[in-house]
Amino acid sequence: MTTLTSKDIVRALKPLVGDGGALLADPLEMKSYLTEPRKRFHVPAVAVALPGSVAALQAICRWANQHRVPLVPQSGNTGLVGGQVPLSGTEVIVNLSRINRVREVNAAAGHMTVEAGLILEEAHKVAEAAGTIFPLWLASQGSARIGGVLSSNAGGVQVLAYGNARELTLGVEAVLADGRLYHGLNALKKDNTGYDLKDLLVGAEGTLGFITAATVKLFPIPEAQETALINVADPAVALQLFYLLRERAGSRLTAFELMNRFGIDLQLNYGLLPRDPTASPSPWYVLAEVNRMKGGASGALQAALEEALASGLVADAVVAESEADRTLMWAAREQMSEVQSKEGASIKHDVSVPIGAVPQLIAEGSAAVERAIPGVRPCPFGHMGDGNIHFNFSQPAGADPKAFMAREAGANAAVYEVVRKLGGSVSAEHGIGQLKSALLRQVKDPVALEMMQAIKAALDPNGILNPGKVL
Amino acid sequence: MTTLTSKDIVRALKPLVGDGGALLADPLEMKSYLTEPRKRFHVPAVAVALPGSVAALQAICRWANQHRVPLVPQSGNTGLVGGQVPLSGTEVIVNLSRINRVREVNAAAGHMTVEAGLILEEAHKVAEAAGTIFPLWLASQGSARIGGVLSSNAGGVQVLAYGNARELTLGVEAVLADGRLYHGLNALKKDNTGYDLKDLLVGAEGTLGFITAATVKLFPIPEAQETALINVADPAVALQLFYLLRERAGSRLTAFELMNRFGIDLQLNYGLLPRDPTASPSPWYVLAEVNRMKGGASGALQAALEEALASGLVADAVVAESEADRTLMWAAREQMSEVQSKEGASIKHDVSVPIGAVPQLIAEGSAAVERAIPGVRPCPFGHMGDGNIHFNFSQPAGADPKAFMAREAGANAAVYEVVRKLGGSVSAEHGIGQLKSALLRQVKDPVALEMMQAIKAALDPNGILNPGKVL
C-alpha cells in the first residue's frame, strides 16, 4: 500500500520512538519478535519499533497512517494464531513491551491500572503484593503481556468464576490508527454513557487500535481452595457433575476441567508426573475447585462429592489434602498439551459449544476424526465448565508425524462441522489472527462479517492496523 | 430527511407489519406509546408500527432506510431518559411488543432465548418455572420488555453478583437499519471469533439496530438469602463494611444498598411502611444480602456482622428472621424514589464513581447542592456496591416545587462537576436517550464521541435509527 522503501520507513520511524524507545531493523535483532510459539509463521518485518511512551506510539501511528505503512501490534508475542507477527512482509511490528508501568493500584476498591507492556505474571505479583488477586491465569503468563492478553480476550483456568479478559477489564486507553488517543480508562462497574468501546477494543486483536493501558478488576484472596480429582465414566457424567456442583457451590466453583486417562498415562510414561494423582483408573476425570472466603465454612466440595458418590453418579474421587496434592492435580491438567508433543504430532482445536452439548461434541468429533484417520488418539481436555474444549488428537502410535499432519485439513473439517452443528465457536480462546481468518469467512454469519468490516473501515479507514488479521 | 408525507408513510407501512402486526396512526391509539414514565417528553409520532414478526420488522427497516424515514425502537416504554419516544415528531415508533416468544429454555445448561417483546417479569416466570433464576430485577419489571432492557443495558438490584444486562447476555439477534438480520444468538461462554458485536448492540439504545431476541444466562436458585439492615455512621463506614463483606462473602454478596434515615422517615410519615424495619435510629443504613447455595452452611452474613460489631465498625443491625422481614427491608429500599414524590419536587441523578470514591461523592455533592439551594434535603441511595448512587435531592420543606425545579440546572451542574472530578459517570444505569445527549457532548472524551459517531455512520449510514438519541 505504501510507496516508501524499507529504508525510507526505518529512517522516518527512528526519530519517532521517543525516549527509552528503539527501532530495530537488523534481522538478527528482529528475530525474537518474529518467532512465535508454534513456529508456523515465517514472514519477515520491515522493522520492529519499540516506542518508549504512549506519545511516541501516537507519533508512529500518525506517521504510518499518513504514509499507509501497515503496523502489527505486538506485546508478549505469545499468541497462537499468528496475530502478532507479519502476514505480508511489508509491516512494521510495533512492540509495546517498553510501555509497561503500573499506573495505579487500589486494592481495597478492587482495581488497578497497568500499561500494555506489563508482563501478566508481573501484574499478578503487583496484585498479590497489595493483598488481592488478578485472576487471569494462563500457561504463557510468564511472557504474555497485558496488551496482548486483552487484545486477544484471553481466558484461562478460572474464567468460570471470574470471567475472561473482557469481563475482568473495566476500561482501556488506546491509540487509534491515526494516532488519536482514546481516553477510556475508568474504574466504574456501571457506565451507560454511550457505546461499549471497551469491549470492542478488547478482543479486536489489534485491528482497531493499540490498547496502551487498562483498568482491571482485583478480587479478595480466597482463604482456601478445595480441590478434587474426580473419576467420571464419560463426558455426559461430567456434565451431570457440573450441574450438581454449580447448584451446590454457585459462583464459588472456580474450575471444572475435563481430562481423559490417555493424557494422564502419557504424562506418567514420559515422567512428567512423580505419581498418579488420580484415585483410581477411569476413562475420564474432572478437576474441580471450590473457593472459600475468609471465615467461610470448609468442606463444600467434599459434601457435594459425597452426594455424588452416594447417588452413584461418580465412583471414586480424591480430594487434595495439601498444597502439594493440589499442585500435582493442576500439573496433570496443565501438562496435557505439552505431553502430546512428546508422543509425536498432534492436531489441535480450541473450540467451544453450549455447555450442555460438550458430551455430543466429544463423542461425534472423536468419531468423525477416527473415521478420517484410523488409529488417531483423541485427547480432548480443558475448560468444560465454560463449554471450551481443547480438542486435540495425537497421531496413531508409531505413525509417521508428517503423514499424519498432512491430514490435518480433513481432521479440522470434521471437528468444525460438528462444532458448527452444535452452535459452537471455532475459536473459543485463541482468536483468529492469520491462522483462522479464512475459516472465519466460512463459518461466521455473513452479516456479522459485514458489520465487522464496516466498523474496521470506520475506525481504521486506511487499513494500517494488523491488515489481513481477523478479517 | 424524508420527503414523504405522514399519509404516504402510513400507507406504505400498513402492509409491511405482517400477520399479527398493526399500524396505529390515530392520536388516541398512539397515546400510550408516546407517554413515558416521567412525562417529560411530549413530541408526537407519525405512526406506531407493531410488527408481527422479525421478518415484518426487516421489511419495515428496508423500506424506511430507502425512504429515509426515522424510526424509534420501543419495547416496554419504561425508559427514563426519553430514548424510546420521538424527538423531532417526524419519527415512526416501532414497538416490538408483539415479537414476544420464548424460543428456547435450557435450564440445566443455564440459558434461554427470548424475544425482544417479552415482558421482563414474564422472563423471570419462565426461568423460575424451569427451576432457575434470570437475575435482572428492576422496579419496572412488570412492564419493561427484554428489547429495551438490553438496549439500555439495564442494571438493577443484583448487579453486584450477577452483572448488568450486558453481562447477563450471551448473544443477540438484531435487525440492522437496512433490514439485514444479524444472527448473533449463541449460548457460548467463550467465543473469540471477531469483534464483540453483542456488547456493541447491548446498551446502544436502539441507535445501531433493533435487538429482536437474546440468549441470556440462567442461574441456579440459591437455597436461601441472608438479609440484614445495618446501621452505619456515614458512607465512609459503609465503604469499610463493604470491603469487609466482600472479603468474607466474595461473590455470594448479592446486594449492598445504601439508604439514609431521611428516606426511611419519609416512608414512615407517609404510611409506606407498616413499621420501622431498622434496628435503631442511625443517619445511614446498609441493606446487605448474601446468598446460600443448596447444602451450604448458613450464618455467613451474621458472622461477618458480629465481627463488624465487635470491632466497633457498626453499632447495631437487624438480620431478617423471616421472608416478611426481608420483604419489609427491601420495600424500604425500593420505595426510596417513590416516597420523595410525596414530599414535593425532587431533582434526581443516576451517577456512578469508583466504589472507593462514593463517600466523597456523597459529601461533596451534597455540600455543593446545599450551597446552591439552601435547605435542600439530600437523599442519596442505591447500589453502593457498584459505585452507583441515585443522587436525589428533595425540595426544602414547604418550599414551592416549581421554584425549586427552576434551579435544577444548577443542582445538576454541581453534582456532575463532582462526578467528573472523581472519574465517574453521569449515567450509570439509565442511559443517555434525549435527556442527556447534550450533557454527553460536554463530559465524554471527544475521541470516544468520534469513535461512536464513526460506528453509527458505518452501521446506520442514513441515520434512520433513533436519530438524535445518545449522539
Side-chain angles (χ1 to χ4, degrees):
Chain A
M1 46 211 303
T2 184
T3 55
L4 299 177
T5 66
S6 295
K7 270 195 180 161
D8 293 337
I9 293 171
V10 169
R11 199 177 312 122
L13 285 179
K14 211 148 211 169
L16 300 182
V17 296
D19 283 353
L23 191 84
L24 314 178
D26 178 276
L28 266 179
E29 286 185 328
M30 290 200 282
K31 197 172 172 222
S32 67
Y33 300 91
L34 290 163
T35 310
E36 44 73 43
R38 286 195 178 158
K39 300 183 180 57
R40 290 181 83 124
F41 306 101
H42 306 280
V43 175
V46 169
V48 176
L50 296 122
S53 66
V54 172
L57 174 61
Q58 290 183 264
I60 290 170
C61 287
R62 257 193 306 269
W63 181 86
N65 191 51
Q66 259 170 16
H67 296 278
R68 311 287 198 271
V69 172
L71 305 178
V72 175
Q74 184 183 84
S75 61
N77 191 15
T78 60
L80 298 174
V81 291
Q84 76 282 14
V85 290
L87 177 61
S88 72
T90 63
E91 300 99 328
V92 173
I93 291 177
V94 181
N95 182 293
L96 298 200
S97 57
R98 298 194 181 186
I99 300 173
N100 58 13
R101 286 183 310 137
V102 176
R103 292 198 193 163
E104 197 207 358
V105 182
N106 190 333
H111 51 84
M112 68 176 176
T113 301
V114 295
E115 291 183 339
L118 191 71
I119 290 177
L120 179 54
E121 205 163 76
E122 295 298 320
H124 293 156
K125 285 179 191 162
V126 169
E128 281 155 29
T132 63
I133 50 171
F134 175 51
L136 203 162
W137 290 292
L138 308 173
S140 61
Q141 63 199 28
S143 31
R145 294 172 191 263
I146 293 293
V149 165
L150 268 59
S151 290
S152 64
N153 186 28
V157 293
Q158 297 216 344
V159 171
L160 190 55
Y162 296 104
N164 51 21
R166 182 169 283 135
E167 290 161 312
L168 289 170
T169 303
L170 292 165
V172 298
E173 174 190 273
V175 173
L176 304 187
D178 60 8
R180 279 176 298 164
L181 186 63
Y182 163 62
H183 291 90
L185 291 177
N186 72 67
L188 303 174
K189 299 231 168 117
K190 285 185 179 173
D191 178 20
N192 278 348
T193 58
Y195 305 160
D196 185 0
L197 302 173
K198 180 266 284 185
D199 287 325
L200 192 61
L201 290 162
V202 172
E205 303 188 31
T207 62
L208 300 179
F210 283 85
I211 293 175
T212 51
T215 302
V216 297
K217 296 181 191 169
L218 302 175
F219 292 82
I221 304 179
E223 188 160 81
Q225 304 286 350
E226 300 171 16
T227 311
L229 198 50
I230 307 150
N231 297 16
V232 289
D234 56 40
V237 170
L239 182 66
Q240 294 310 311
L241 180 65
F242 175 69
Y243 292 160
L244 176 82
L245 291 184
R246 215 181 43 144
E247 192 181 53
R248 297 302 185 278
S251 54
R252 292 175 55 200
L253 182 65
T254 55
F256 192 93
E257 301 280 322
L258 184 72
M259 296 180 268
N260 65 5
R261 184 72 215 176
F262 169 67
I264 302 277
D265 280 339
L266 279 189
Q267 293 181 60
L268 291 167
N269 292 348
Y270 286 101
L272 291 186
L273 292 172
R275 61 178 173 82
D276 188 340
T278 70
S280 56
S282 165
W284 296 88
Y285 299 96
V286 164
L287 173 58
E289 201 156 82
V290 170
N291 71 18
R292 177 164 66 76
M293 301 308 292
K294 196 169 170 183
S298 61
L301 180 57
Q302 178 89 38
L305 286 179
E306 279 165 14
E307 197 182 318
L309 286 159
S311 74
L313 183 65
V314 309
D316 207 351
V318 54
V319 176
E321 292 185 352
S322 64
E323 194 56 31
D325 283 356
R326 182 182 174 226
T327 302
L328 188 68
M329 289 177 183
W330 274 108
R333 162 61 188 83
E334 281 166 359
Q335 292 168 172
M336 274 285 159
S337 192
E338 176 194 345
V339 75
Q340 285 171 70
S341 65
K342 297 190 182 291
E343 184 70 4
S346 57
I347 298 174
K348 302 179 174 188
H349 310 89
D350 165 43
V351 299
S352 69
V353 293
I355 172 78
V358 169
Q360 202 180 340
L361 167 73
I362 291 176
E364 295 187 11
S366 298
V369 177
E370 282 166 341
R371 272 194 304 275
I373 310 177
V376 75
R377 292 170 295 173
C379 190
F381 68 94
H383 320 300
M384 181 161 176
D386 304 314
N388 176 197
I389 297 296
H390 297 305
F391 208 159
N392 293 4
F393 294 87
S394 280
Q395 62 167 68
D400 173 51
K402 281 201 177 151
F404 174 69
M405 289 310 289
R407 303 171 84 169
E408 185 178 13
N412 292 351
V415 169
Y416 293 143
E417 176 56 32
V418 177
V419 167
R420 226 169 142 169
K421 193 183 80 175
L422 298 175
S425 167
V426 298
S427 188
E429 288 195 318
H430 300 160
I432 300 300
Q434 47 184 299
L435 182 67
K436 292 185 175 176
S437 57
L439 175 64
L440 189 71
R441 285 192 291 274
Q442 291 165 34
V443 301
K444 191 88 175 174
D445 171 41
V447 174
L449 286 171
E450 289 163 18
M451 292 170 76
M452 286 166 58
Q453 272 146 357
I455 292 165
K456 168 72 174 174
L459 296 182
D460 177 19
N462 295 341
I464 66 155
L465 292 180
N466 230 356
K469 312 293 172 59
V470 185
L471 288 164
Chain B
M1 46 214 300
T2 183
T3 56
L4 298 177
T5 67
S6 295
K7 270 197 179 161
D8 292 337
I9 293 171
V10 169
R11 198 176 313 121
L13 285 179
K14 210 148 211 169
L16 300 182
V17 297
D19 284 354
L23 190 84
L24 315 178
D26 178 276
L28 265 179
E29 285 185 327
M30 290 199 282
K31 197 170 171 226
S32 67
Y33 301 90
L34 289 164
T35 310
E36 43 74 43
R38 287 194 177 160
K39 299 183 180 59
R40 291 181 83 122
F41 306 100
H42 306 280
V43 174
V46 169
V48 176
L50 296 123
S53 65
V54 172
L57 174 61
Q58 290 183 264
I60 290 170
C61 287
R62 257 193 306 270
W63 181 87
N65 190 51
Q66 259 170 17
H67 297 277
R68 312 286 196 273
V69 172
L71 305 179
V72 175
Q74 184 183 83
S75 61
N77 191 14
T78 61
L80 297 175
V81 290
Q84 76 283 11
V85 290
L87 176 61
S88 72
T90 62
E91 300 99 327
V92 173
I93 291 176
V94 182
N95 181 295
L96 298 200
S97 58
R98 299 195 180 185
I99 300 174
N100 58 13
R101 285 182 310 136
V102 175
R103 291 198 192 162
E104 195 206 359
V105 181
N106 190 333
H111 51 84
M112 68 176 176
T113 300
V114 295
E115 290 182 341
L118 191 70
I119 290 176
L120 179 54
E121 202 163 77
E122 295 298 319
H124 292 157
K125 286 181 190 161
V126 169
E128 281 154 29
T132 63
I133 50 171
F134 174 50
L136 202 163
W137 290 291
L138 307 175
S140 60
Q141 63 199 26
S143 31
R145 294 172 191 264
I146 293 294
V149 165
L150 268 59
S151 290
S152 63
N153 186 29
V157 292
Q158 297 214 344
V159 170
L160 191 56
Y162 297 105
N164 52 19
R166 182 169 284 135
E167 290 161 311
L168 289 169
T169 302
L170 293 165
V172 298
E173 176 190 272
V175 173
L176 304 186
D178 60 7
R180 279 176 298 165
L181 186 63
Y182 162 62
H183 291 91
L185 291 176
N186 72 69
L188 303 175
K189 299 230 169 120
K190 284 187 182 173
D191 178 19
N192 278 348
T193 59
Y195 304 159
D196 185 359
L197 302 173
K198 180 266 285 182
D199 287 323
L200 192 63
L201 290 162
V202 171
E205 303 188 31
T207 62
L208 299 179
F210 284 84
I211 294 175
T212 50
T215 303
V216 297
K217 298 181 189 170
L218 302 176
F219 292 82
I221 303 178
E223 187 160 81
Q225 303 287 350
E226 300 171 17
T227 311
L229 199 50
I230 307 150
N231 298 18
V232 288
D234 55 40
V237 169
L239 182 65
Q240 294 310 312
L241 179 65
F242 175 69
Y243 293 160
L244 176 81
L245 292 183
R246 214 180 45 143
E247 192 182 53
R248 297 302 185 279
S251 55
R252 292 174 57 200
L253 181 65
T254 55
F256 191 92
E257 302 280 322
L258 184 72
M259 295 180 270
N260 65 6
R261 183 73 216 176
F262 170 67
I264 302 276
D265 280 339
L266 279 189
Q267 293 182 59
L268 289 167
N269 293 347
Y270 287 102
L272 292 185
L273 292 172
R275 60 177 172 81
D276 189 340
T278 70
S280 55
S282 166
W284 297 89
Y285 300 95
V286 163
L287 173 56
E289 201 157 80
V290 169
N291 71 17
R292 178 163 64 79
M293 302 308 292
K294 196 169 170 182
S298 60
L301 181 56
Q302 178 88 39
L305 286 179
E306 279 165 14
E307 198 181 318
L309 286 159
S311 73
L313 182 65
V314 308
D316 207 353
V318 54
V319 176
E321 292 186 353
S322 65
E323 193 56 30
D325 284 355
R326 182 182 175 227
T327 302
L328 188 67
M329 289 176 185
W330 274 108
R333 161 61 188 83
E334 282 167 357
Q335 291 167 174
M336 275 285 160
S337 193
E338 177 194 344
V339 77
Q340 285 171 71
S341 64
K342 296 189 184 293
E343 186 68 4
S346 56
I347 298 174
K348 302 179 174 188
H349 311 89
D350 166 44
V351 299
S352 69
V353 292
I355 170 79
V358 169
Q360 202 180 341
L361 167 73
I362 291 177
E364 296 187 10
S366 298
V369 177
E370 282 165 342
R371 271 195 305 275
I373 312 177
V376 75
R377 293 170 294 173
C379 191
F381 68 94
H383 319 300
M384 180 161 176
D386 304 314
N388 177 196
I389 297 296
H390 297 305
F391 208 159
N392 293 4
F393 295 86
S394 280
Q395 62 167 69
D400 173 53
K402 280 199 178 152
F404 174 69
M405 290 310 289
R407 305 171 83 168
E408 185 178 14
N412 292 352
V415 169
Y416 294 143
E417 177 55 31
V418 177
V419 167
R420 226 168 142 169
K421 191 184 80 176
L422 298 175
S425 167
V426 298
S427 189
E429 288 194 319
H430 300 159
I432 300 299
Q434 46 184 300
L435 182 66
K436 293 186 176 176
S437 57
L439 176 63
L440 189 70
R441 285 191 292 274
Q442 292 165 32
V443 301
K444 191 91 175 171
D445 172 41
V447 174
L449 286 171
E450 289 163 19
M451 291 171 75
M452 287 166 57
Q453 273 147 356
I455 292 166
K456 169 72 175 175
L459 296 182
D460 178 18
N462 294 341
I464 66 157
L465 293 180
N466 230 357
K469 311 294 172 58
V470 185
L471 287 164

